[in-house]
Structures are given as structure tokens and as C-alpha cells.
């Protein structure tokens, strides 16, 4: 297993992981129509934008299996809502279903934490859909529920919960 910083040549593989994990993780949470209409091409366009607009405070790591296939990623950077307590934010972390619960998520979070510490960011939060079956991952990492908000994605109204760590050195 290799965890490394993502490069532009990874965009296609990241987009594929992104779409495939949404379709498995959010089945029954988002409508089938919404999930079916996701496309690799649209996600690639989004990831090209992320890479193009990325500043030094926005970064992505990928996880590769022994065959050098990208099987997961984490994207993070500065907290986006000017929270006075939490300065870093884990924007997204996704791992293909067949590779979940093998410690890959923890390794990706570890790399994110290392990068935050280099940036002298010592706190972090992540927004998670309340109905996401992987919420326990953040609780196992010691995250505390700190905030809740309603969001809307197409015809889907959902609740997001923020898990926070005031001291990421414990991760």
C-alpha cells in the first residue's frame, strides 16, 4: 500500500473512485436517479478545477494498492467557513468498497494530519452526511460532533454533521 500526494495524471482514477464510492456509499441516501446520473467525465472536470485552483492550502493524497491502482483518496485544506476553532478541513475521503476497513482511511487521514502540521494547523473538522454508514470511522478516530446543518443536493434534503478535533496530534 502506497499513500502519496496526488498529481494531475491521477485525476481520471480519482474521479472513478469518487463516482464509484458515491454509488455504493450513498445508495438509499441519494436517489437512484441522482447516483445514476453521476459520470466519470463530470467528476474529472471537477477534479481538473480542484487541481487548477489549488493553492498551497488545498491538497490531495491517493492510496494505491500493490498493482499501483488508485483505490482511495483524501482531499483537504483550510477550513472553508472561518470557524474560530477548527482551522483545517478534511473535504473528502473515499475508498473503494472492496478496500474499506483495511486501515487505508486511517493512513490517508494520517497523511492529511502530517500536512496540516507542516502548515502549522493543529485542528480539523470534517462534514459527514448523518446517514453515511461510515460515520463511525470519525468517531473511532476521536472526532467529536460539533455542528449540524441541512443541505440540499438536487431533490435531496439531508443533514450533515461536523466532526472536529481540537488537537490533531492525537490522530
Amino acid at each position: 500500500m502506497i499513500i502519496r500526494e496526488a498529481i494531475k495524471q491521477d485525476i481520471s482514477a480519482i474521479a472513478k473512485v469518487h463516482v464509484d464510492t458515491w454509488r455504493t456509499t450513498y445508495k438509499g441516501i441519494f436517489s437512484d436517479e441522482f447516483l445514476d446520473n453521476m459520470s466519470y467525465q463530470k467528476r474529472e472536470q471537477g477534479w481538473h478545477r480542484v487541481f487548477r485552483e489549488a493553492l498551497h492550502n488545498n491538497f490531495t493524497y491517493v492510496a494505491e494498492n500493490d498493482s499501483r491502482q488508485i483505490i482511495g483518496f483524501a482531499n483537504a485544506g483550510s477550513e472553508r467557513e472561518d470557524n474560530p476553532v477548527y482551522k483545517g478541513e478534511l473535504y473528502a475521503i473515499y475508498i473503494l468498497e472492496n478496500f474499506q476497513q483495511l486501515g487505508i482511511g486511517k493512513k490517508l487521514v494520517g497523511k492529511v494530519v502530517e500536512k496540516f502540521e507542516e502548515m502549522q494547523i493543529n485542528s480539523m473538522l470534517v462534514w459527514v452526511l448523518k446517514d453515511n454508514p461510515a460515520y463511525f470511522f470519525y468517531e473511532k478516530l476521536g472526532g467529536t460532533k460539533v455542528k449540524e446543518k441541512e443541505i440540499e443536493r438536487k431533490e435531496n434534503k439531508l443533514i450533515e454533521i461536523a466532526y472536529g478535533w481540537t488537537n490533531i496530534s492525537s490522530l
Side-chain angles (χ1 to χ4, degrees), residues 18-111:
H18 205 163
V19 170
D20 290 349
T21 55
W22 265 64
R23 288 181 176 156
T24 57
T25 302
Y26 299 128
K27 182 114 178 114
I29 297 172
F30 285 95
S31 70
D32 289 344
E33 180 183 357
F34 178 84
L35 295 173
D36 291 344
N37 284 328
M38 293 182 75
S39 76
Y40 300 135
Q41 182 181 13
K42 286 179 188 173
R43 280 301 344 140
E44 275 188 48
Q45 290 170 357
W47 278 102
H48 277 289
R49 202 168 29 259
V50 168
F51 273 74
R52 202 171 38 252
E53 297 170 2
L55 302 172
H56 67 279
N57 63 348
N58 179 327
F59 52 90
T60 304
Y61 287 97
V62 294
E64 292 181 334
N65 65 11
D66 295 337
S67 302
R68 309 283 299 187
Q69 172 195 9
I70 292 175
I71 56 169
F73 70 88
N75 175 248
S78 297
E79 194 275 331
R80 296 176 282 192
E81 296 179 357
D82 293 322
N83 188 296
V85 176
Y86 303 98
K87 301 302 178 190
E89 183 174 347
L90 178 59
Y91 304 142
I93 182 169
Y94 292 105
I95 298 156
L96 292 174
E97 188 174 41
N98 291 342
F99 296 94
Q100 292 175 5
Q101 299 186 18
L102 300 175
I104 299 165
K106 190 172 182 178
K107 288 178 182 175
L108 282 165
V109 169
K111 281 298 220 183

